[in-house]
Amino acid sequence: MLARDFILWLSTKPSVTNMIARRGMKNGFARRFIAGETLEEVLTACASLCTEGRTISLNHLGENVSTEAAANKVFETYVHLLEQLHDRKLPGNISIKLTQLGLAVGREFCENLAHQIARRAHELHRTIEIDMEGSAYTDVTLDIFEAVQRASANAALAIQAYLYRSENDLKRLEPLRPKIRLVKGAYREPKNIAFQEKSAVDANFKRLTTQLMEGAARGTFFPAIGSHDPAMAAYAQAEAARLHVPQDKYEFQMLYGIRRDLQDQVFREGNPVQVYVSFGTDWCPWFMRRLAERPANCWFVLRSLLAERKA
Ligand code: FDA
């Protein structure tokens, strides 16, 4: 926990993040998790994943956009991504963050852009997924998701198992028959709203998996199990079997470059796997959260930086 907190704290220090950002792509350590900085690079990486039978969700890295012009640019990028997926016949969708779509500019402004993206996706027979960010945004993200799902019926939402409120949020969302990406949660949250211990988060992840699978058996949820934890993957498969949920009524989601062995294993066991592929130049905060999840990842960053010093 201490290492995680320390890395999340470092991720707020520009002197650290700028140094990592300068060297990450050049030294290659960032490439393990970030498929590329340009659209061409990422689409090439995706094409081979899709040939193997995976689907993809494309995320253009960046968060906390504070001007209308910048949010409109992000909006255009996402529409372009949807059109590229369509033109290249790649199976998949896009994942968006509402803070990137101008939530700070205004709720209505952001919701309007989210509606337009979902509508364009609908025209192309595609879906969109909305990431869940820090707890300051949970309520507004749920509200915007509900509005978009009511209007276009092609949106999915991430729900975080570390938040105490998530069981009730799922009850609230169930009438919309949504796809829900269940994740443990990647931000630093206080103990009055979130479980702090890994064992407690894991236990809640399992409870919410059961809640989602029960919904899948009734036809009201499409569960997407977003975890690299083999215990969570095994639990989800056992619950699906117990509740007679067929393998095409749920999926696993994992991040590009992480636990590729587990991605292969669940895929070989007949489960659909969607890979969340992030790309873009603004990758440092996202990369730091991946380091915080697994401080052992810091070693390959350090090794890479030390190797450069010696050279
Ligand atoms: P956990 O941290 O419990 O670790 C279990 C095992 O997984 C480790 O022992 C290790 O083997 C492996 N592992 C986990 N992370 C690793 C890493 N970075 N590098 C190498 N191995 C690793 N969060 C959020 O708040 N909002 C969101 O919208 C999303 N979206 C999202 C989409 C998808 C597809 C995934 C998989 C995850 C997210 N997350 C997220 C992140 C999520 O909340 C969580 O922080 C990470 O998935 C880590 O939790 P796990 O359950 O994967 O593993």
Side-chain angles (χ1 to χ4, degrees), residues 139 142-143 146 165 168-175:
D139 281 322
L142 283 162
D143 291 347
E146 279 188 331
R165 59 179 289 167
N168 284 333
D169 288 341
L170 286 183
K171 285 184 190 155
R172 163 179 164 184
L173 296 175
E174 190 163 358

Side-chain angles (χ1 to χ4, degrees), residues 32-33 97 130-133 158 160 162 181 183-187 198 202 205 226-230 232 253-255 258-259 274 276 289-291 293-294 297:
R32 175 154 155 205
F33 303 132
K97 281 190 172 46
I130 300 183
D131 289 354
M132 188 58 84
E133 301 179 67
Q160 297 155 327
Y162 62 19
R181 178 204 305 157
V183 298
K184 289 188 186 171
Y187 300 82
K198 178 173 160 53
D202 287 357
F205 193 100
S227 174
H228 312 97
D229 187 339
M232 301 304 123
Q253 291 196 4
M254 296 191 212
L255 302 176
I258 296 184
R259 287 303 304 257
Q274 179 173 284
Y276 182 108
R289 285 201 295 277
R290 304 291 75 81
L291 294 185
E293 281 154 14
R294 190 162 155 73
N297 284 339

Side-chain angles (χ1 to χ4, degrees), residues 219-287:
T220 50
F221 278 131
F222 184 95
I225 306 300
S227 174
H228 312 97
D229 187 339
M232 301 304 123
Y235 183 82
Q237 291 190 80
E239 284 298 85
R242 180 177 72 82
L243 295 159
H244 306 290
V245 180
Q247 281 176 315
D248 62 346
K249 298 291 182 219
Y250 66 94
E251 73 185 15
F252 285 96
Q253 291 196 4
M254 296 191 212
L255 302 176
Y256 178 84
I258 296 184
R259 287 303 304 257
R260 284 165 291 191
D261 57 331
L262 185 64
Q263 299 191 16
D264 289 343
Q265 183 197 319
V266 294
F267 184 67
R268 273 199 314 274
E269 287 164 355
N271 303 292
V273 174
Q274 179 173 284
V275 183
Y276 182 108
V277 186
S278 292
F279 79 103
T281 47
D282 191 9
W283 48 263
C284 205
W286 192 89
F287 178 72

Side-chain angles (χ1 to χ4, degrees), residues 43-82:
L43 289 174
T44 308
C46 289
S48 59
L49 282 172
C50 297
T51 315
E52 292 164 12
R54 322 284 160 95
T55 58
I56 50 167
S57 190
L58 278 185
N59 168 251
H60 188 243
L61 289 163
E63 30 209 289
N64 294 321
V65 159
S66 57
T67 64
E68 275 190 27
N72 281 326
K73 212 160 164 234
V74 172
F75 164 77
E76 279 161 23
T77 305
Y78 274 118
V79 169
H80 183 59
L81 285 182
L82 282 165

